[in-house]
Amino acid sequence: MKKIATFFSLFLLSLINNGNAQNVPLNLSYHKPATQWEETLPLGNGRLGMMPDGGIERENIVLNDITLWSGSQQDANNYDAHKYLPAIRQLLIEGKNSEAQALIDKNFICTGKGSGGRAYGCYQLLADLQIDYHYKDQQSAAVNVKKYHRQLSLNTAVAQCTYEINGVHYKREYFTSFAGDVSVIKIIADKPGQLNLNVKISRPERSSTNISQGILQLTGQLDNGTDGKGMQFLAEVKAITTGGSVETGNNELVIKNATETIIYISAGTDFKNPDFRKKTDALLSSAFRKPYIVEKQQHIAGYQKLFNRLSLKLGSKNSNDTLATDQRLVNFHQNPESDLGLPVLFFQFGRYLAICSTRVGLLPPNLQGLWANEIHTPWNGDYHLDVNVQMNHWPMEVTNLSELNLPLAELVRGMVVNGEKTAKAYYEADGWVAHVITNVWGFTEPGESASWGITKSGSGWLCNNLWEHYAFTGDKNYLRSIYSILKGSAAFYSSMLVTDPKSGWLVTSPSSSPENSFYLPDGKSASVCMGPTIDNQIIRELFNNVIFASKTLNMDEQFRKRLETELKKLPPAGQIAHDGRLMEWLEEYKETEPQHRHVSHLYGLFPASLITPSTTPALAEACKKTLNVRGDDGPSWSIAYKILWWARLEDGNRAFKLLTQLMRPTIKTGMNYTAGGGIYPNLLSAGPPFQIDGNFGATAGIAEMLIQSHAGYIDLLPAIPDCWKAAGEVRGLKARGNFTVNMKWKDGKVISYQIFSPVSGSVKVKINGAIKDIRTEKI
Ligand code: FUC
């Protein structure tokens, strides 16, 4: 009976999978094992990550758990800071920015060491799993490897590695299960008794391993920054075999003469999960009781529920997909128009990474998603609030992964209590604020250096992400649930704005334009200023959103009126400098680094829609000039942002040029702030080092070339480059207002389309240059 039920459920699953099948196979493939971490294949199920290198004699597999953070909750607010606020503001009014900056460094930053402190913590790798493979004749094995192939299927979220040695075919299959919440590795030989291997687990520090009842365990506790007793973690490894045996050796599993083995890895931490040991045990034991094929099918079905919502095809055939991916990257770099399949793969890889690096109820993707191979992940692997974590979420709505925005909303909700303390301590202000960085512990204080740490658009910018989920879904219950967060953020800005004596506008003070600096008339340089353009734009957008929300939810009339009055006194969405560029600051300062990677004052163009070519053409022109002077280089995230801006400026060819710039092959890992970017052989994006925002930003950028919906209508193919015009098809893009869009095009013209909505009605759509009222189809 049980067998029949299993068969039936497999049959049903196969029907579902086929029903949604993506017609294009989407594979990352390679003809050799990875030689550096940036060539390994990222697998993840929103919590657990695994990156196998496919080694033939020794394989290293980096394991991750997205919750594994050192540090702890701390109060780094300087409660005396507000006493210095009047003096800092006065210095800024007098044009003494560098003196104001010095005073901030002395009295107006966080207490302790900020992002460099043990309590702030960092995201870390969980462990390294090491598998040593022993072949009959080890020496000849190394030289007699044939038909080596390693791949990651984006259609199934399963990685594979196959090869042949001395007439034996070996196959490994890896996945981080979306069903059983464990990592699984199956290793098969096509001749009996050929598998001999040892499995070990380790991490560079703060852990111990042991074996109990055939289970290899790694346990430890990270530093919390105070008494050392921080987050606890556990990873368990168990192997089962067909034929042969599993023995336990010196802290290792020894598999002898097997034909097939399946390795299960279960892991957890005590982050909001005091019962983690029990849960880790339970996940492990239910995994190895389930037939492998069922686990795999359920995994694929769980993953495809999200992934299969969208398919994209450029051109009439997908060329070059039999080539190794690293070779494809090289070819694409030389001749970007020769492989229309690679941008599709790269686009879908961004969606894959989103699905794999976050899940509802858990954490948003950090600077590296959930993949880290070090104890000290670059920039602590944290959440940067001056573009990076926001960019990680830009593809979520438009590429039909809406619920993956919710973990960010929950992270933000968790920041509010400390953000209220920060608002009081520094500004004696209402509401809540976050500056430039946060972690899983709710850090909201200014950073440890005035030059970058005083930026205070972090909380307002996060509210844009929270808002977009509402704009795309129209979900009023969700709006109600985030209203107090938005209102608290608006209340902060509203109560801390000051009047700029020169212009009479209400502006922030002190603040900065993220990470950038300028020359003062006396030749000195400074970062700290009043009313940088990004603050003005963020506050304008936030106030408008809160006003709209309070009307929609029919509440808070008094507060709404206050914002309406203040809105009239805010600086405009942008000012144009004498050289025709958009001004980054209230004053026409000369920037110290004209090609700076941040172009924060174009926030109004994207993600906001305060500047558009049709409503504010002069400002849009000024944005173009700004971008031309800034240049097209930078870390991958900066290039990805430029794709989005050029897409909003409706220049598809320039957006495509930037995409090709972003997709330069690289293997560089040394930190570079200024130029370079690039894509590693495993398609992860480089700052360098690896930083995932470039992937997410590029996926959002490609979507923005195909569809836009910020100007009161849906625009089909607003910025399609010439080389994509011949033919294409996309199914499942989303537009604001909860519309789902399918379309086909030929020679740059939309030739068929369908717009779906949960309610029947009509919507304005710009098709081939004309805006029409289109009846929607009911989902
Ligand atoms: C921002 C950027 C850097 C880097 C860091 C993680 O501060 O300016 O380039 O991406 O975040």
Side-chain angles (χ1 to χ4, degrees), residues 67-69 71 220-222 229-233 269-271 441:
T67 61
L68 189 64
W69 267 78
Q221 184 162 32
L222 301 187
K229 294 186 180 148
M231 195 181 285
Q232 299 183 60
F233 57 92
T269 76
D270 68 352
F271 180 70
W441 312 114

Side-chain angles (χ1 to χ4, degrees), residues 461-503:
W461 195 334
L462 286 166
C463 288
N464 166 275
N465 285 70
L466 268 56
W467 181 262
E468 286 297 304
H469 182 72
Y470 170 69
F472 273 87
T473 60
D475 180 348
K476 271 199 198 157
N477 287 332
Y478 164 79
L479 183 62
R480 208 165 280 120
S481 84
I482 58 158
Y483 179 74
S484 66
I485 304 176
L486 304 186
K487 181 185 173 188
S489 180
F492 167 74
Y493 294 114
S494 163
S495 73
M496 66 81 68
L497 290 172
V498 293
T499 303
D500 166 35
K502 281 193 202 151
S503 59

Side-chain angles (χ1 to χ4, degrees), residues 269-584:
T269 76
D270 68 352
F271 180 70
K272 298 184 181 168
N273 188 12
D275 253 359
F276 75 106
R277 289 180 201 281
K278 257 200 201 147
K279 285 188 188 154
T280 306
D281 287 346
L283 289 172
L284 186 69
S285 50
S286 58
F288 67 77
R289 292 212 174 89
K290 206 191 279 182
Y292 176 82
I293 184 70
V294 176
E295 183 74 59
K296 186 176 158 190
Q297 288 283 8
Q298 290 177 347
H299 156 72
I300 293 173
Y303 165 73
Q304 289 185 340
K305 227 167 63 192
L306 283 91
F307 188 73
N308 282 2
R309 289 178 190 165
L310 189 153
S311 64
L312 171 66
K313 214 168 161 188
L314 294 177
S316 43
K317 63 181 176 66
N318 279 282
S319 51
N320 296 353
D321 49 12
T322 50
L323 278 183
T325 305
D326 42 355
Q327 188 56 49
R328 275 180 93 176
L329 258 186
V330 172
N331 295 357
F332 182 79
H333 182 55
Q334 284 158 2
N335 182 3
E337 299 180 14
S338 66
D339 185 357
L340 296 183
L342 194 63
V344 174
L345 186 72
F346 193 56
F347 170 79
Q348 290 287 26
F349 185 57
R351 295 185 67 244
Y352 166 86
L353 293 172
I355 300 166
C356 295
S357 63
T358 185
R359 71 161 76 144
V360 176
L362 224 52
L363 290 166
N366 59 46
L367 280 169
Q368 296 192 174
L370 60 51
W371 296 280
N373 67 338
E374 290 171 273
I375 295 293
H376 204 141
T377 306
W379 291 283
N380 302 314
D382 72 3
Y383 300 103
H384 268 53
L385 308 179
D386 57 348
V387 67
N388 314 85
V389 76
Q390 289 91 348
M391 180 175 282
N392 283 0
H393 293 79
W394 288 342
M396 303 306 192
E397 299 296 335
V398 66
T399 76
N400 215 333
L401 301 170
S402 179
E403 63 267 56
L404 299 184
N405 246 333
L406 298 174
L408 179 67
E410 291 317 302
L411 185 88
V412 176
R413 196 184 300 283
M415 292 163 68
V416 170
V417 171
N418 197 43
E420 287 173 347
K421 290 185 193 158
T422 305
K424 282 266 163 334
Y426 292 79
Y427 310 93
E428 285 190 303
D430 301 335
W432 71 281
V433 62
H435 291 78
V436 195
I437 48 172
T438 195
N439 52 16
V440 294
W441 312 114
F443 190 89
T444 53
E445 292 85 346
E448 65 269 22
S449 164
S451 65
W452 55 271
I454 199 63
T455 283
K456 58 181 51 56
S457 45
S459 35
W461 195 334
L462 286 166
C463 288
N464 166 275
N465 285 70
L466 268 56
W467 181 262
E468 286 297 304
H469 182 72
Y470 170 69
F472 273 87
T473 60
D475 180 348
K476 271 199 198 157
N477 287 332
Y478 164 79
L479 183 62
R480 208 165 280 120
S481 84
I482 58 158
Y483 179 74
S484 66
I485 304 176
L486 304 186
K487 181 185 173 188
S489 180
F492 167 74
Y493 294 114
S494 163
S495 73
M496 66 81 68
L497 290 172
V498 293
T499 303
D500 166 35
K502 281 193 202 151
S503 59
W505 290 326
L506 284 178
V507 295
T508 53
S509 177
S511 193
S512 63
S513 188
E515 306 187 32
N516 208 355
S517 55
F518 49 84
Y519 291 110
L520 292 158
D522 62 7
K524 286 187 197 156
S525 68
S527 306
V528 171
C529 65
M530 292 170 71
T533 301
I534 185 171
D535 286 11
N536 308 333
Q537 295 172 338
I538 283 180
I539 295 167
R540 173 175 291 277
E541 182 197 38
L542 176 66
F543 282 12
N544 271 320
N545 288 346
V546 174
I547 290 166
F548 186 95
S550 96
K551 282 185 193 154
T552 307
L553 301 173
N554 199 13
M555 59 203 284
D556 271 342
E557 203 184 328
Q558 283 302 102
F559 186 64
R560 185 197 316 155
K561 289 208 165 121
R562 178 170 135 194
L563 296 186
E564 279 166 349
T565 309
E566 286 170 357
L567 202 51
K568 293 186 194 123
K569 299 183 190 158
L570 294 179
Q575 296 188 79
I576 302 174
H578 282 98
D579 63 4
R581 288 188 292 158
L582 200 75
M583 280 166 60
E584 181 160 359

Side-chain angles (χ1 to χ4, degrees), residues 101-381:
Q101 189 156 333
L103 195 53
I104 292 174
D105 268 324
K106 213 158 154 225
N107 297 303
F108 209 78
I109 54 172
C110 56
T111 62
K113 291 190 176 154
S115 67
R118 286 163 50 214
Y120 184 84
C122 67
Y123 180 63
Q124 323 201 338
L125 96 162
L126 172 66
D128 286 302
L129 190 81
Q130 185 185 305
I131 308 180
D132 284 299
Y133 297 88
H134 310 291
Y135 302 95
K136 277 261 161 58
D137 177 353
Q138 194 75 359
Q139 262 186 345
S140 77
V143 287
N144 284 341
V145 181
K146 288 187 196 144
K147 296 185 201 156
Y148 183 92
H149 187 68
R150 189 163 66 90
Q151 80 167 41
L152 168 63
S153 159
L154 307 187
N155 307 83
T156 58
V158 176
Q160 268 190 14
C161 165
T162 50
Y163 54 95
E164 184 195 318
I165 292 180
N166 296 336
V168 183
H169 292 89
Y170 295 90
K171 179 173 178 182
R172 306 176 199 161
E173 217 164 47
Y174 319 76
F175 61 93
T176 43
S177 181
F178 279 85
D181 209 5
V182 288
S183 299
V184 186
I185 306 164
K186 183 178 185 182
I187 307 167
I188 316 171
D190 74 342
K191 299 224 166 82
Q194 296 295 315
L195 292 181
N196 286 285
L197 43 107
N198 297 34
V199 184
K200 289 187 198 136
I201 191 166
S202 63
R203 84 188 295 276
E205 60 171 45
R206 301 183 86 93
S207 71
S208 60
T209 45
N210 71 296
I211 289 215
S212 154
Q213 296 173 344
I215 297 172
L216 181 58
Q217 290 189 326
L218 173 123
T219 52
Q221 184 162 32
L222 301 187
D223 183 15
N224 57 358
T226 52
D227 62 4
K229 294 186 180 148
M231 195 181 285
Q232 299 183 60
F233 57 92
L234 166 66
E236 298 186 316
V237 188
K238 184 176 168 77
I240 56 173
T241 62
T242 305
S245 61
V246 187
E247 290 164 22
T248 51
N250 183 17
N251 278 346
E252 61 183 346
L253 301 176
V254 183
I255 289 147
K256 288 190 177 155
N257 305 323
T259 309
E260 191 176 299
T261 181
I262 305 172
I263 301 169
Y264 295 94
I265 307 144
S266 181
T269 76
D270 68 352
F271 180 70
K272 298 184 181 168
N273 188 12
D275 253 359
F276 75 106
R277 289 180 201 281
K278 257 200 201 147
K279 285 188 188 154
T280 306
D281 287 346
L283 289 172
L284 186 69
S285 50
S286 58
F288 67 77
R289 292 212 174 89
K290 206 191 279 182
Y292 176 82
I293 184 70
V294 176
E295 183 74 59
K296 186 176 158 190
Q297 288 283 8
Q298 290 177 347
H299 156 72
I300 293 173
Y303 165 73
Q304 289 185 340
K305 227 167 63 192
L306 283 91
F307 188 73
N308 282 2
R309 289 178 190 165
L310 189 153
S311 64
L312 171 66
K313 214 168 161 188
L314 294 177
S316 43
K317 63 181 176 66
N318 279 282
S319 51
N320 296 353
D321 49 12
T322 50
L323 278 183
T325 305
D326 42 355
Q327 188 56 49
R328 275 180 93 176
L329 258 186
V330 172
N331 295 357
F332 182 79
H333 182 55
Q334 284 158 2
N335 182 3
E337 299 180 14
S338 66
D339 185 357
L340 296 183
L342 194 63
V344 174
L345 186 72
F346 193 56
F347 170 79
Q348 290 287 26
F349 185 57
R351 295 185 67 244
Y352 166 86
L353 293 172
I355 300 166
C356 295
S357 63
T358 185
R359 71 161 76 144
V360 176
L362 224 52
L363 290 166
N366 59 46
L367 280 169
Q368 296 192 174
L370 60 51
W371 296 280
N373 67 338
E374 290 171 273
I375 295 293
H376 204 141
T377 306
W379 291 283
N380 302 314

